[in-house]
Amino acid sequence: MGDPRRRGRRPRPPGRGRGRPGGGAMSDLRVGRISALNMFPVYHHLDEAALPGVTFTDGLPALLNAGVIDGTLDVSAMSSIAYARHAHDLRLLPVGCIACEGAVDSIRLLSPVPLHEVRRVAVTPHSASSVTLLRVLVGPDMRFRVMASDLEAPAALAAGEAVLLIADAALLAHRGGIAPYSLDLGELWQQRTGLPMVFAVWAAREDTAVTRPAALDALCDAITAGTGAFAADPDGMARAAAQRFPFDEAYIRGYLSRLRYAFGDAERAGLEAFLDMARAAGELREMPALRAVAA
């Protein structure tokens, strides 16, 4: 998996990823690839597995969400709330996700003022799930307005705005201590519910699930193998990640140990709780049926 920022290149738009022609069941399966440290263990294994005929498209979650929804991608890890809003056209790959149990550092609300004084929160379009999680967890207790912002985090904080950061940007900001007040939404979620917080799921388009079941089965097997490979050698994964991301090996090892990639009963319960709370908060029209690809 590549990190476009480290390599000085822009994320490729859907449909223009790196292909591996090979034919067979995996031919032309277009797979989205999140360009962040949190998904490195699984995507690193998919790279190593070199599945024949798979085309990867690198991007931020919002770009990949849109690609799956508009049909320029067949399958991807995508924001759990974006999946839920389009669940009638999608199928879950019930073998993988990205989740945490407790503080994770990579989804943080940072503020220049005490959190009870926050009135405006600047957000980026990078993750729909994090914005919904903020509204679900903090909205009832704080009166604030969520606003899209083009300002970098330091500028937004200097202007008196709180900022919601995710993934590598949140890790860098938290480590850098750029704000005097900080709230870890993964930790708050765990305190409120006692469940894992599922930020992203793997989902495929309905038409892909119908016409390409063998290809999706092979991808499910590879995701499961990647999760197992990470569990078997977390130190090796941290060393590999340190070659690509701006964090040292020890920090990466600690960060990745707080993430969960397998989609088990606890993760399903956490996802259902999040979606139900999102529905109650008006962020989701209805509770979707979590339909999976055929086993």
Side-chain angles (χ1 to χ4, degrees), residues 1-6 34-41 44 168 171-172 237-249 252 256:
M1 173 178 138
D3 181 346
R5 293 168 304 163
R6 296 293 303 273
I34 294 176
S35 305
L37 175 59
N38 55 22
M39 286 299 289
F40 178 81
H44 178 67
D168 300 356
L171 297 176
L172 290 167
M237 193 65 69
R239 284 194 297 275
Q243 302 301 311
R244 298 195 177 189
F245 294 89
F247 306 101
D248 61 66
E249 182 180 328
I252 290 174
L256 294 181

Side-chain angles (χ1 to χ4, degrees), residues 37-54:
L37 175 59
N38 55 22
M39 286 299 289
F40 178 81
V42 174
Y43 282 112
H44 178 67
H45 181 81
L46 293 181
D47 260 348
E48 294 291 313
L51 297 174
V54 167

Side-chain angles (χ1 to χ4, degrees), residues 78-260:
M78 62 186 297
S79 303
S80 52
I81 192 67
Y83 152 75
R85 287 170 177 157
H86 299 272
H88 54 284
D89 291 326
L90 303 173
R91 295 286 188 95
L92 279 177
L93 276 58
V95 296
C97 67
I98 179 168
C100 71
E101 292 186 80
V104 69
D105 286 348
S106 55
I107 175 167
R108 280 193 169 268
L109 178 65
L110 305 171
S111 173
V113 300
L115 296 176
H116 68 274
E117 297 180 8
V118 169
R119 294 295 177 266
R120 295 188 302 178
V121 177
V123 302
T124 68
H126 296 167
S127 173
S129 289
S130 62
V131 176
T132 299
L133 182 61
L134 178 68
R135 293 186 188 279
V136 165
L137 289 179
V138 183
D141 301 324
M142 295 168 53
R143 292 185 178 182
F144 63 87
R145 179 165 58 94
V146 173
M147 50 183 286
S149 175
D150 294 329
L151 294 176
E152 295 293 334
L157 291 167
E161 300 170 356
V163 294
L164 178 64
L165 296 178
I166 66 165
D168 300 356
L171 297 176
L172 290 167
H174 181 56
R175 293 193 80 192
I178 67 170
Y181 301 95
S182 176
L183 178 66
D184 189 307
L185 296 191
E187 182 177 24
L188 184 58
W189 170 264
Q190 205 277 334
Q191 291 171 350
R192 293 272 181 88
T193 69
L195 294 168
M197 176 60 209
V198 179
F199 300 108
V201 297
W202 282 86
R205 291 179 54 79
E206 175 84 20
D207 53 1
T208 302
V210 171
T211 62
R212 309 290 302 281
L216 292 178
D217 281 350
L219 181 61
C220 285
D221 289 344
I223 293 170
T224 300
T227 301
F230 171 52
D233 185 19
D235 291 346
M237 193 65 69
R239 284 194 297 275
Q243 302 301 311
R244 298 195 177 189
F245 294 89
F247 306 101
D248 61 66
E249 182 180 328
Y251 180 78
I252 290 174
R253 185 184 304 113
Y255 171 60
L256 294 181
S257 72
R258 298 194 291 274
L259 298 174
R260 302 290 180 268

Side-chain angles (χ1 to χ4, degrees), residues 10-79:
R10 294 171 62 84
R12 288 183 289 266
R16 298 185 61 188
R18 177 162 50 92
R20 295 190 181 91
M26 297 299 294
S27 179
D28 298 323
L29 191 70
R30 300 165 300 175
V31 180
R33 182 165 53 187
I34 294 176
S35 305
L37 175 59
N38 55 22
M39 286 299 289
F40 178 81
V42 174
Y43 282 112
H44 178 67
H45 181 81
L46 293 181
D47 260 348
E48 294 291 313
L51 297 174
V54 167
T55 298
F56 286 111
T57 294
D58 294 337
L60 297 167
L63 176 67
L64 303 180
N65 295 345
V68 175
I69 292 165
D70 69 20
T72 51
L73 292 174
D74 296 311
V75 56
S76 182
M78 62 186 297
S79 303

Side-chain angles (χ1 to χ4, degrees), residues 259-272:
L259 298 174
R260 302 290 180 268
Y261 296 100
F263 189 70
D265 291 342
E267 287 74 24
R268 176 178 286 272
L271 176 62
E272 291 175 338

